[in-house]
Amino acid sequence: MILDSDYRHFKALESCLIHASFKTLRAVQVDDAKSLLRTYPIKLAILNQDHGNGHGYEYIRFMREHYPDLGIIVLSDNSSSLDRILGIEMGADDYLVKPVDLRELLARVRRLLERLNISSFHLNKGINFSGFGLDRQKREVTWIASGEKIHFTNREYDMLLCLLENANRVVGRNTLAHVVCGRSWHAEDRSVDVTISNIRCKLRQHNPADTLIRSIRGTGYSLVIRHE
């Protein structure tokens, strides 16, 4: 469910989510959202904090109290740490400052649904690529030829999944830092590069012939694969 009175903003979110095989419903006002929550088995709500009468932090508290298993992502123009903390304390699972990179939002939606153990065809679907198999539910990566499981830390797994979900496209360091580390990237921050290096090393131990993760100078990384 997307609670957003800004039609153009809603359509951009809807298009991104539908393209990724999610079903969406729109609420313009809080009363609309309450009606949808009573009527449909909604798993996740995206709230545009800056549009729609009455949908502020009290509504986040209402949803958390009455729908404890609901995933909640807040979008807001307010970038202050106080606003972000208040949103999380009221019950939001995630908080993004606009303008939002739609690929980052999609990655966060998937991560939140996985964390909530919500099963759907899209989330259960495994990914086979370049001799590897990734199981979303078990959060495991396997070298298919031998069945050997490859150990990744949570951060490494999340970063690999983010690159896979954007396969053959460039993913910026800032997006990777937000999605995986939960913070903005800055020039002195080496956490993304170190994590990518670790992933490369583990993949090359099984498939040294493929250069799967390519560095895009000044931008980020791209996972170049053939889907199987």
Side-chain angles (χ1 to χ4, degrees):
M1 179 183 71
I2 303 171
L3 176 53
D4 195 339
S5 64
D6 185 328
Y7 182 74
R8 292 180 63 184
H9 190 261
F10 160 75
K11 290 302 291 184
L13 299 180
E14 179 190 48
S15 177
C16 172
L17 291 166
I18 288 177
H19 183 71
S21 302
F22 290 101
K23 293 181 179 180
T24 64
L25 293 167
R26 183 194 183 198
V28 176
Q29 306 292 348
V30 167
D31 287 344
D32 303 329
K34 289 181 178 179
S35 178
L36 290 176
L37 286 169
R38 288 193 298 266
T39 306
Y40 297 96
I42 293 169
K43 303 301 182 184
L44 188 144
I46 298 175
L47 311 182
N48 185 355
Q49 182 74 3
D50 308 300
H51 290 277
N53 294 335
H55 83 255
Y57 294 117
E58 290 305 315
Y59 184 59
I60 298 173
R61 189 202 298 271
F62 167 85
M63 288 195 298
R64 181 53 66 223
E65 290 177 354
H66 291 83
Y67 302 92
D69 297 327
L70 181 71
I72 302 172
I73 297 178
V74 174
L75 311 181
S76 178
D77 286 324
N78 194 332
S79 61
S80 73
S81 59
L82 179 61
D83 198 67
R84 185 188 302 269
I85 292 168
L86 186 58
I88 298 299
E89 287 183 343
M90 290 295 103
D93 295 288
D94 208 343
Y95 185 109
L96 290 171
V97 178
K98 297 186 297 182
V100 175
D101 184 309
L102 293 178
R103 290 177 298 177
E104 178 184 348
L105 175 64
L106 184 59
R108 287 180 181 246
V109 165
R110 286 170 169 155
R111 283 189 67 210
L112 178 54
L113 290 174
E114 287 183 339
R115 196 161 71 238
L116 296 172
N117 293 319
I118 295 170
S119 63
S120 69
F121 171 80
H122 190 80
L123 291 176
N124 290 338
K125 185 178 179 182
I127 303 174
N128 292 341
F129 64 100
S130 302
F132 299 95
L134 182 144
D135 187 314
R136 292 176 185 269
Q137 279 203 313
K138 296 180 180 179
R139 291 177 62 86
E140 290 179 349
V141 179
T142 304
W143 177 240
I144 296 172
S146 64
E148 180 183 351
K149 291 182 175 60
I150 305 166
H151 174 71
F152 286 99
T153 65
N154 286 332
R155 177 175 291 188
E156 290 165 357
Y157 173 88
D158 288 338
M159 194 166 292
L160 175 61
L161 181 59
C162 182
L163 290 170
L164 272 172
E165 288 170 342
N166 295 280
N168 302 314
R169 291 182 292 183
V170 179
V171 183
R173 284 184 175 84
N174 195 51
T175 295
L176 290 170
H178 269 297
V179 170
V180 179
C181 307
R183 62 174 183 267
S184 297
W185 177 83
H186 56 83
E188 292 76 27
D189 186 355
R190 304 297 299 170
S191 59
V192 170
D193 300 316
V194 169
T195 304
I196 289 290
S197 178
N198 292 340
I199 296 171
R200 279 174 168 161
C201 181
K202 292 176 181 181
L203 294 177
R204 283 174 179 166
Q205 287 177 3
H206 297 274
N207 189 353
D210 278 2
T211 305
L212 296 176
I213 303 177
R214 297 182 182 175
S215 301
I216 311 301
R217 186 174 181 181
T219 305
Y221 296 93
S222 177
L223 185 64
V224 181
I225 64 170
R226 61 181 190 277
H227 286 282
E228 300 169 0

